[in-house]
Each structure stands twice: as C-alpha cells, then as structure tokens.
Amino acid sequence: IKMTLTMALDDEQLIADAKATLIKNDLGGYTVPTHGLYPFQWNWDSAIVALGWLPFDEPRAWEEATSLLSAQWKSGMVPHVVFHKHSDTYFPGPDIWGVKNTPDSTSITQPPVLATVIRQLFEQTKDRVLVDSQIEQIVKQLIDYHLWWYKQRDPEYTGLVVSYHPWESGMDNSPAWDEALRAVPKVGWEYTRRDINHIDASERPHKEEYDRFLYLVDFFRKMNFDDTLIYQDCPYRVNDVSIISILHRGTKDLLALCKALNIDNKQTEYLAHRMDLTEAAIGKLWSAETNMFHSFDTRSNKLCSARTNAGLLPLFAGLVNEKFTPKLIEVLDDWLLDRPFAISSTHHDDPCYEPQRYWRGPIWLHINWMIVLGLEDYGFLKQAKQVTDASRNLIYTSGFNESFHAETGARSGGADFSWTAAMALYWLL
Ligand code: 9WN
C-alpha cells in the first residue's frame, strides 16, 4: 500500500511539473522544444506537444497545430522550423536558410506525424464547438501537405518518398545516414555552432556532420528551393523508413478523418492509391540479414546498414506483413532483453552505438510512443507494456529531458523538454 501511495504522489508531482514545463516553453500559440537550445517552433515537436496540451487546455492543443500550419508553403510543404520570433541562441537561423516567406522558415520538412495527432485531437476533444470551428480547414491543409509529400518526394511513383536532409528525418546524426552523408561535400565557409554552448559536445553531432548539413542548406538555396531540381540533383537522397512509416500512418489517419467529415473526392482517392504503392514497395527496405527494416540510399542504391529504432516504425504504419512480423518481434525482444531503459535509438550491438550521443544511442520517448501504438495495433501487448513501462521508468528516473542515456537512463540533451513532458502527460494521466 505504501508503494502505491508513494507512486501516486510522485505521479501527481510529475504531472504538475510536466504541465509547468509546457507552460514555461509556451511562447504564445506555439511551444519551443526548450528555451535556448531550440528557441523556435519545430514541426514534429509541435505535433507531439499538442497531445500534451490536450488533457488540460484543449484550445491551446489546437492552436499548436494551427500555428504550425500558418507557415505552410503554397506548395503544401510544412516547414521543419518556423522562426516566428528572432533569437540568437540557435544556428542556423533564417539568414542562412534564405527563405523569403512570412513567417520565416526553413526550406525542408520533418516527419509528418501531425495528421495522426489531429485524429487523436478530433476524437478526444470534449469541446465540440472548438473542433467544428476548425477541423475542415486543418484537414484541407493536411491533405495539401500529404499530396505534396507524394507528388514532390516520389515523383516517379516508386511508393517510397525521399528525404533530402538528416534534419528532415528528425534523427539528425543517426548512423543510418553515415554512408549517404559521406557523399555530400563539406561546406567551404566558417561558422559558429550554438548547440555546443548549451550541451556538451560529446552528446551532439560532430563538425564533419554539421559541415555537410550546411552544404545541403546552401544547396537548397542555390536551387531556389525548386522541388524538381532538388529531386534531380540533391547529393543526399534517402528513402527514410521512419518518414515513410510516419507518412503512411498519417495518411491512414487523415483518410479516416476525411471519412468522418464526408470528404470523398479525387484527392482522397489519390492518397489511397499512394498508400497502395507504399504497401507494395516496403519490402525493398527489409533486410534478410538483420531481420528488420532499414532506410535506403537512392544514390548508392544500398540499404543503410545501421540497426536503428527507425527500423521498427513500420509497425506504427501497419506496414509489416505476416512474413516479417515474427522476425521483427524477435529482434525487438532481443533489443529489450535485460534493458530497463528502452528502446535505444541504435541497437546496443551495432558497431555505431554510442549510448550518449544524440541519435546514435539515446532513447527518445516520442519514438517509443509510436512503436507502442504499432505494437498495440498488432496485438503484441506484452511488448507494448514493456516499452511503456520502460518509458515511464525514464520519466521517474530523470524527468523531462530531450532524450535519455541508453544505459543509465540519465539526462541526455536539453532539459525541460516539451515533447518529453507531453509524453509524460500522455502516459501518466
Ligand atoms: C535540427 C527540436 C529538434 C528535433 C529533432 C532533433 C533536433 C535540430 C538540431 O531538435 O534537431 O532540426 O539542431 O539538433 O534531432 O528531432 O525536432 O527538438
């Protein structure tokens, strides 16, 4: 009884702290991931954060989405960062990206998890007037966004969209990108990073990666942000299994929303057709050697070799067929074995595994959340519970950090982090 009481009190305190974290990071209509390190609005962070606002401030949850969508480009693209207000604490800012839009933004996007979140908001919001006043406009913008993904990022109808930048994947220095990134030249100019003013360099990407990240930013500007030219010539062009999975799940959720709103037209038909193409093509990302999914480098025509948690995300998308499912679950069981803190972003037996360095080892709760939803859909409830318990464990051990050290569960990256607070609210309430 004593144990239960202590836990209940801890939960109460954690819930209050998680809410306070979101409120502290609220800059009026949008939430920064954390002050200093990331002082702007990030695309997939905001989607996750909306889930955190939902249980205690419904209008604010919806506003998180509409403020992000206010930066949507005419093409339909929703940027990866929106620079609503000036800040000197982050690099690269709008001057380096060179985009001439209002509001200022970057020229790439991020994993489109927003549609899945909007479906949850639509189903769970109690204030139906709030929902009815904006859902059609939001769905219209999401349709444009998803059409843009398929048309511009898979113009050859392969079934697998491409990504042009590790920042677009949201898994910046994942070892999955090592080989593909080596083909990108290094930028020729000097620059000053700001991230290592906030966070120890041992937890961040190396300079060699930043040199190439920035080369790509320059390249987009030189191409005048033209989707067709970039598709043809971008030196980095990867079928990212994480983006592909999140897009697929998002489109499914978007079509469910359309159904609920009686939207049935050429666009929804087109999206359904694109989903069929992805289902037919996903086998290309399966490796019989590792028994899991990998991203694919379309420049070298090779699977990216590292074993990362992105390779589990086809579960979230419902893209794992009967032949692959038992094998993938076996890999997951091994990944979780004797690991109270899970799931590391890179498998602990992979030669590239570094438990403290950003996307090369640390654990990210929003990825766990997606994997759990997938496991539940497939009926793997034991594993879903294991990952949920491990995620809660991390919150109890170290609070709301950007990510967590894969071995110790200790803080990794920024503190007072919005998406981790949002996931805490999702799991503790
Ligand atoms: C670049 C904000 C973002 C996340 C990404 C994470 C990190 C940025 C950076 O922070 O990326 O977009 O400068 O390191 O990798 O997933 O959206 O939290």
Side-chain angles (χ1 to χ4, degrees), residues 170-175 345-346 357-361 364 366-367:
M171 302 181 173
D172 311 5
N173 66 339
S174 166
S345 43
T346 300
R357 197 182 293 281
Y358 221 40
W359 288 94
R360 303 179 83 87
W364 299 75
H366 65 300
I367 305 291

Side-chain angles (χ1 to χ4, degrees), residues 33 38 42 44-45 80-81 90-91 110 167 170-172 204 210 358-359 364 366 402 417 419:
Y38 304 125
W42 260 259
W44 72 331
D45 294 67
H80 114 277
V81 183
Y90 182 82
F91 175 86
Q110 258 191 330
W167 281 338
M171 302 181 173
D172 311 5
R204 293 289 304 174
Y210 259 77
Y358 221 40
W359 288 94
W364 299 75
H366 65 300
E402 180 172 9
F417 220 84
W419 63 17

Side-chain angles (χ1 to χ4, degrees), residues 296-356:
F296 185 88
D297 179 357
T298 74
R299 290 305 184 200
S300 66
N301 270 320
K302 278 201 250 156
L303 281 178
C304 305
S305 58
R307 279 172 291 162
T308 73
N309 57 354
L312 302 168
L313 284 173
L315 288 164
F316 175 60
L319 278 169
V320 192
N321 67 22
E322 290 133 37
K323 201 173 99 206
F324 298 148
T325 314
K327 294 179 178 162
L328 189 60
I329 294 299
E330 209 175 296
V331 166
L332 174 66
D333 282 338
D334 163 66
W335 210 312
L336 295 174
L337 195 68
D338 298 330
R339 300 261 151 185
F341 307 113
I343 304 169
S344 56
S345 43
T346 300
H347 193 289
H348 45 270
D349 288 340
D350 194 281
C352 298
Y353 172 66
E354 290 180 80
Q356 89 298 349

Side-chain angles (χ1 to χ4, degrees), residues 24-39:
K24 177 176 159 199
N25 290 342
D26 181 8
L27 281 197
Y30 70 97
T31 314
V32 296
T34 186
H35 289 290
L37 180 63
Y38 304 125

Side-chain angles (χ1 to χ4, degrees), residues 7-276:
M7 196 61 104
L9 280 181
D10 283 354
D11 275 11
E12 228 170 85
Q13 188 56 52
L14 276 171
I15 289 165
D17 291 351
K19 288 180 183 170
T21 301
L22 292 188
I23 290 166
K24 177 176 159 199
N25 290 342
D26 181 8
L27 281 197
Y30 70 97
T31 314
V32 296
T34 186
H35 289 290
L37 180 63
Y38 304 125
F40 307 111
Q41 182 174 34
W42 260 259
N43 182 326
W44 72 331
D45 294 67
S46 268
I48 303 293
V49 160
L51 286 178
W53 284 109
L54 183 66
F56 74 104
D57 190 339
E58 291 185 341
R60 189 59 192 74
W62 286 84
E63 206 182 351
E64 194 68 37
T66 51
S67 63
L68 176 65
L69 288 171
S70 75
Q72 184 167 34
W73 286 22
K74 275 204 195 78
S75 63
M77 197 274 280
V78 180
H80 114 277
V81 183
V82 188
F83 302 109
H84 292 285
K85 284 179 204 154
H86 173 79
S87 170
D88 284 334
T89 65
Y90 182 82
F91 175 86
D95 48 331
I96 303 289
W97 286 91
V99 169
K100 301 271 173 284
N101 265 15
T102 311
D104 275 328
S105 74
T106 61
S107 69
I108 55 172
T109 186
Q110 258 191 330
V113 69
L114 186 62
T116 297
V117 168
I118 292 294
R119 183 178 178 189
Q120 295 214 4
L121 261 52
F122 176 75
E123 289 172 355
Q124 291 167 31
T125 300
K126 295 190 187 72
D127 180 351
R128 297 319 288 179
V129 176
L130 177 70
V131 176
D132 293 346
S133 65
Q134 52 191 328
I135 188 64
E136 289 196 2
Q137 173 60 25
I138 291 176
V139 166
K140 186 176 161 297
Q141 288 189 256
L142 285 173
I143 290 176
D144 289 345
Y145 184 30
H146 283 235
L147 288 173
W148 170 84
W149 262 111
Y150 291 113
K151 290 185 177 168
Q152 302 305 333
R153 296 308 186 87
D154 182 19
E156 297 178 73
Y157 290 79
T158 66
L160 303 173
V161 295
V162 292
S163 151
Y164 299 140
H165 199 297
W167 281 338
E168 199 154 57
S169 76
M171 302 181 173
D172 311 5
N173 66 339
S174 166
W177 321 134
D178 287 0
E179 293 148 60
L181 204 56
R182 238 171 266 136
V184 176
K186 294 183 184 180
V187 81
W189 40 274
E190 293 296 315
Y191 57 91
T192 308
R193 283 170 64 173
R194 302 259 188 263
D195 57 323
I196 42 186
N197 294 346
H198 307 285
I199 301 293
D200 194 272
S202 65
E203 293 177 20
R204 293 289 304 174
H206 293 286
K207 180 178 184 322
E208 287 86 281
E209 284 145 354
Y210 259 77
D211 285 350
R212 294 179 161 106
F213 292 168
L214 291 168
Y215 177 92
L216 290 168
V217 171
D218 262 357
F219 169 80
F220 303 139
R221 204 185 46 219
K222 286 188 185 129
M223 294 295 112
N224 212 9
F225 312 115
D226 183 298
D227 280 317
T228 310
L229 288 180
I230 296 172
Y231 181 80
Q232 277 166 21
D233 295 338
C234 188
Y236 177 96
R237 207 180 68 180
V238 168
N239 297 131
D240 171 355
V241 65
S242 157
I243 288 183
I244 288 164
S245 302
I246 293 170
L247 176 67
H248 195 74
R249 168 71 184 241
T251 306
K252 200 183 287 183
D253 288 324
L254 180 56
L255 290 180
L257 278 167
C258 289
K259 195 157 180 239
L261 298 168
N262 287 319
I263 302 170
D264 178 10
N265 56 28
K266 284 260 168 308
Q267 292 182 322
T268 52
E269 242 171 64
Y270 182 87
L271 289 173
H273 169 59
R274 286 297 198 145
M275 287 187 69
D276 291 343

